[in-house]
Structure formats: C-alpha cells, structure tokens
Amino acid sequence: MRELTYNEAALEAIAEEMRRDPRVFYMSTDALPPLMNEFGPSRIKVTPIAEAAMTGMGIGAAGSGFRPIVDWRQVTFCFVAMDQIVNQAAKIHYMFGGQVTFPMLFRASVGGGSQVAAQHSQSPYSMFMNVAGLKMFLPSTPYDMKGLIKTAIRDNNPVISFESGRLMGRKGPVPEGEYTIPFGKADVKREGSDVTVVALAWLVHEALAAAEALAKEGISVEVVDPRTLVPLDTETIRASVRKTGRLVIADEAGPTAGFSAEVAAVVTEDAATFASLKAPVKRVCALQVPIPYSPVLENAVFPDRNRIIAGIREVLQGRRSAAAA
Amino acid sequence: MPMSLSPNLPPDKQREMLRQMLTIRRFEERASADYLAGKIYGVVHSYIGEEAVAVGVCSTLDRGGRIISTHRGHGHCIAKGADLNRMMAELYGRQTGYCKGKGGSMHIADFGIGMLGANGIVAGGISIITGAGLAAQMEGKGGVAVSFFGDGASNAGPFHECLNIAAAWKLPMLYVCENNGWAAQTSAAATHAMGDVAGRAAGYGIPGVVVDGNDVFAVHQAANAAVERARAGDGPTLIECKTYRWRAHTERKGQVDPRDRAEVEAWMRQDPIALLERRLRDQGQLDDAGLRAMEGEVMGAIEAAVAFAEASPHPLPEQATDDVFAA
C-alpha cells in the first residue's frame, strides 16, 4: 500500500472533502500551498492573525449554511479565541434549542519535543473535553488522520482535530480509495493479555515499542488508541481492562484533571471492570509543569517508551513472572 | 444633531415602523413586570428608549438579511420579525419558546428570519455575524449582515479584529453601535478616549457615521446608505447611533443605577416613539383614532403572547440532555 505522512493524509482528506462539497471552505493565517493551488482564494481564505475573529466567523458561516475549516495552526493560538470556542461554538446549538447546526472543523497541532518552550508546546485537550458541545480527536497514524478528518468535515457539530506535532512527518500506509473512520471507536493497535496501555498520538508508537521490548520477556501488552476523545469509546477501553486486569495510561499532557484521569475514572467507576483490576491504575504522563526549552529539561518532562515500560512493570509487580510460571 | 430629512418612505411603512417600536416598548414593559412578578427567570435587559435603532436598521433589510444582537436583544428580534408568542414563551422558560426553554432572554434566536441570536457576552456576536457577512459575500446574492453592539463592546478586541477583516475583504456588513452612554454601570466617558465610536472607522479605512439614534428616519437613512454600499461591493460601514436606555442595566430588583436622574430624564424627553408619533401626525398620517387602534392591536398581540406562554408546557427534565450535539 502507498504511504503518506500524517500531514499529507490530513491535506488529502481536506482536499477530497472540498471537492465533494462546495460548502466547505478553509480559513487560516497562512495559505497551505497544495490547497491554495487547487482551490484558490475563493475557498482558501488567508486571514489576518486574528484568531478570535476567524473562529467566530467560522461559527457565523456555519450557521449560514457553510462548512468552514478553521486552522488555528498551533493549539497555543486558539487561546485568544476562547470566547468564540467555549462561550459560542460549543453552546450555540444547544442554547438556541437546536434550531440550526454548526458544522465546523478546527485544526490545532499539539504536543512537544521540538524545543519551542512553554507557549508552543501544549497538550490542552482535556480542557476542551470538559466543555460540553465539542467533539474532538487526536490521531496517531496517517490512516486514522485521513479517516477522522473526513468524518469531522461531514459532522454537523464543531469538531477539533488535535494533531501531534511530533508525528507530522511520520509516514504510514493510506489506501487510495474512499474511507471514513467513525467517531467514538477506539482502535486496538496491538492485542495482548497481561496489561492494557491506553495511549494517544505519539505515545501510541512509544507504547508499541514498549510492547515489542516486553514481548521478549514474555509480557503481553495490549495497546488501545482511543483516537476520538469526545466521544470516548469507553466500551473498548473497559473490555480491554476486563481482559488484562491491568491498566497503564500514557499521555503527553500532564495528569491533573486530564485525559488520563478521565480514562482512570471510566475504568474504575464501572463495577465489572473495577472488579477485574489486579493492580492500581498507573498513569504515565508529562510532569505537571509548563514545557521547558532546553532538551535536557524537556526530555525530563515528557514520558517515553522507557517510562511506559517502567509503568507496565509497576502494575505487573507481584505477578508471577512468565519465566517462573 | 439636525432632524432627518423627510424620508422617501410610503406612509404605510412609516406607520409600520411606529407599530414595531410600540410593540418593542410594550413587550419590554410586560417583560419587566413579569420578571419582577417572578414569572420570568434569570435576568432581563430592557431595550426601552433605544427602539428607533433596531427598527430603523431592520426596516432597510429584506428577510434574507442577517443580524446579530446583544444581551439587550428583544428589540432586535421584534424589529426583524420574530414571533412574539415564541419570544414570550422563551422568557417563560417553556417548551414552545424559540430555544425550547434553554436560552431565555439573552439567547433568543430565529435563524429562519436571519436573526442569529442575542448573545450574553459583550462583543461576542461581532465575529459571528462577520462570518455571516462572509457567507453572504460567498453566496453572491446581494445579502448583507448587521452587527448590533453597544459602546462597551466597541472597546473589546473582536470589534477591532472584525472591522479590520471586514474592511480588508470588503464584506457586506453594517456595524451598528448603539451608544447608550453606559456599559453596564460604567459611563462611556470614563472608558473612551474619543467621544465618537464612529471616529474609529478611519482606522480601518471605512466610513463612520454618527446619527441620532432616537430618530428612526435618521437611522433608516444611514442604514440604507450602508446597505447600498455593502451591496455594491464597497465593504462595511460603522454607524454609531446615539441613544439611551431608560431603565437600569438589568431589571433586577435593587439594581444599582449610577446614572444622574437628570440625565435620564433629559433623554426620556427625547422619546423616540413620541418623536415619530409627532412627525406622523404633522404629516397627517396618524390621528388619535389611528394611534388608539394601533395601541390596541399591539397590546392584543402582547396579551396573546403572554397567554400563549402561560398555556405552554414546561420542558421535561429529561430534555436537558437533548441538542448537546446535532445529528
């Protein structure tokens, strides 16, 4: 199968949907050359660096029959548009009694690892998960990216596409034909029986590397990628934990009131899943600090495959080792 | 400010403007009374005193024109043709209200008539309606979009971002500042370095005009010129309507109103409705009997709206989870 990068997969999805539906248009502070070349300035709107205006304009255009894509570029820049996101976009359908729909896709890169310090290294998706009325996803592969973006553009709600900055250039197989990926459907990226690792984006790949390393010791790791954060596929996560009895959650964001906390709650508040737990839930997250610049400090903050391995060993403590069994 | 010239409007249209302004006034009087009686919940912001702005502007729009409003939104709804029954039912928190009882006074919207909603955040609607202006430009059918906002909102970031982008893209927009001199409890004089909000238009390279916001014909004429400019592809206009709200910021009992009573009374002597009535009488288009008939018709509509609201069912508790997401 042909391979595309994570970023190319996103652009291919957008171009396909723009060809399919003339109501789709794009707003961004920079023109993306492949989109501008194909669709021109009537559908690719290059805005001033004014995220509050462009985000609000997306809402108004959506309420007027269009299907805007608003590209914030980095998630950092959307914070100047929080009124438009939280007070307006998230609530407007509900607050007005559902009389019209507001189909919008917001794009935002997240994560760290490129030494750009605190304002340009952020993973704040749990802040948005907390706001009723927004859907959102965070893909780990080019395949997932393409299918989820296509679904998002066809959805009749505001959807945020969080996109991992670390994965932009990473290649993966993407079939030529048309496909979409439904929201609320996790993907088991690797099956296993001893421990479940629920991971997002870049940490899916780190978890797969950890699983590969531990397989040599006879430890069988299942890697679950939720893909969509809202709606969250609680059933797949719970089913995996009921099977393995152990849970490690790996997230590039800090732990406090985060995605990892939500997954821990989803697992422990369900009686059957709770009863299946053989060890406390373990979170492997970034430290709860603003992200520092120096690579020495940055690496100290973020989790990686080694910390996932350490987390897995921690939840496996007390288990008879595979060798002794 | 000079009186507006006699407008080239048919008498029926002029009487219709008066009828709408009266409807707003009586609706607001009833909303205040029912709020104080505990029948309407939350908060109500009265538009009394500013009726000529909403009616003057909306009288230049066809049904396809889109507007957005503020926390003080009842007048804009009525001027755009909203259904009084569904408005009152929304204030009463009923299922039959515009928002099925989920919005209340600050969130009445009717997208079917191009009313994109009242908005509880000062300056919150400006970017949304600018997106509707972009939609109108992309549709290419001569549609225009109108942002109503107050003097307070003119000091917030989205005002400046949106006027710039609308000017740069020549969006078919009217930015209508209802300058009533007070942002909640704070005077415009204390927060504006420049006396006229309209003067800021120069910074965006667009026309900025000041009109007597209590003179419905003056507002109509300014809006009409701006609509023509927008339809011609020449871009937005900033219209500042100098007006005044007769009542305190909200209808809450014991609400502090820091304004000088003499200032309030001076503005009440410039009642926009009395002004229009007088001019229609002077032109021989209205007499006592005609006015009484109009008053009776308006009061009948308000009473019918209240009866409709009172007879309407409350929402069911389980409906709290409806419409978080669209299908």
Side-chain angles (χ1 to χ4, degrees), chain B residues 4-19:
Chain B
S4 57
L5 300 170
S6 192
N8 188 21
L9 285 170
D12 281 356
K13 175 119 180 171
Q14 295 187 34
R15 279 191 295 269
E16 172 59 16
M17 289 163 103
L18 178 63
R19 193 190 62 76

Side-chain angles (χ1 to χ4, degrees), chain B residues 99-279:
Chain B
C99 311
K100 303 178 189 165
K102 284 178 172 148
S105 167
M106 279 189 289
H107 304 300
I108 297 176
D110 183 348
F111 281 68
I113 59 167
M115 166 55 193
L116 272 56
N119 202 303
I121 307 296
V122 167
I126 300 178
S127 59
I128 298 173
I129 195 68
T130 302
L134 174 62
Q137 186 183 61
M138 292 193 291
E139 287 161 353
K141 294 177 188 162
V144 300
V146 180
S147 182
F148 289 104
F149 56 93
D151 45 291
S154 76
N155 289 333
F159 167 83
H160 300 279
E161 290 191 16
C162 290
L163 262 71
N164 178 62
I165 203 167
W169 292 2
K170 295 199 183 303
L171 297 181
M173 292 289 311
L174 277 66
Y175 293 96
V176 179
C177 178
E178 300 176 319
N179 188 346
N180 63 23
W182 290 83
Q185 329 291 357
T186 304
S187 78
T191 52
H192 294 244
M194 204 157 61
D196 291 335
V197 171
R200 296 176 180 184
Y204 308 106
I206 62 172
V209 293
V210 179
V211 297
D212 177 353
N214 285 13
D215 177 348
V216 71
F217 296 143
V219 175
H220 175 89
Q221 284 169 346
N224 215 26
V227 167
E228 282 176 19
R229 177 180 145 80
R231 290 208 171 115
D234 294 332
T237 302
L238 173 59
I239 300 172
E240 178 182 8
C241 302
K242 304 275 194 190
T243 184
Y244 204 77
R245 67 170 146 79
W246 288 12
R247 300 183 62 85
H249 173 54
T250 76
E251 295 301 293
R252 207 176 291 273
K253 231 178 229 164
Q255 163 94 64
V256 178
D257 189 350
R259 302 175 305 174
D260 182 0
R261 203 56 218 165
E263 176 184 296
V264 178
E265 282 164 10
W267 276 96
M268 288 174 74
R269 284 192 293 275
Q270 300 176 51
D271 178 0
I273 292 178
L275 175 66
L276 178 56
E277 268 178 31
R278 200 160 57 240
R279 294 172 76 176

Side-chain angles (χ1 to χ4, degrees), chain A residues 23 25 27 42-43 45-66 80 83-84 87-90 92-102 131-135 155-158 230-231, chain B residues 66 86 90 98-100 102-104 106-112 115-125 127-132 134-139 158 161-162 164-165 168-169 171 319-327:
Chain A
R23 296 170 301 171
F25 74 100
M27 285 196 282
S42 66
R43 294 179 70 194
K45 304 281 182 189
V46 181
T47 71
I49 302 174
E51 286 81 5
M54 68 192 269
T55 303
M57 287 171 72
I59 301 168
S64 303
F66 286 85
V80 298
D83 172 56
Q84 285 71 22
N87 286 326
Q88 315 291 346
I92 194 164
H93 178 74
Y94 183 89
M95 202 164 69
F96 292 160
Q99 57 179 282
V100 282
T101 59
F102 295 87
V131 178
L134 300 172
K135 295 184 182 182
D155 197 280
N156 283 328
N157 295 280
V230 178
Chain B
R66 298 180 178 112
R86 294 181 68 195
E90 187 59 35
Y98 265 116
C99 311
K100 303 178 189 165
K102 284 178 172 148
M106 279 189 289
H107 304 300
I108 297 176
D110 183 348
F111 281 68
M115 166 55 193
L116 272 56
N119 202 303
I121 307 296
V122 167
S127 59
I128 298 173
I129 195 68
T130 302
L134 174 62
Q137 186 183 61
M138 292 193 291
E139 287 161 353
E161 290 191 16
C162 290
N164 178 62
I165 203 167
W169 292 2
L171 297 181
Q319 289 171 332
T321 55
D322 290 349
D323 292 325
V324 177
F325 291 111

Side-chain angles (χ1 to χ4, degrees), chain A residues 190-220:
Chain A
R190 179 185 175 112
E191 290 195 10
S193 54
D194 294 329
V195 57
T196 298
V197 178
V198 173
L200 292 173
W202 171 62
L203 286 169
V204 170
H205 301 279
E206 292 298 291
L208 289 169
E212 195 61 34
L214 290 170
K216 299 187 180 85
E217 300 176 26
I219 297 170
S220 172

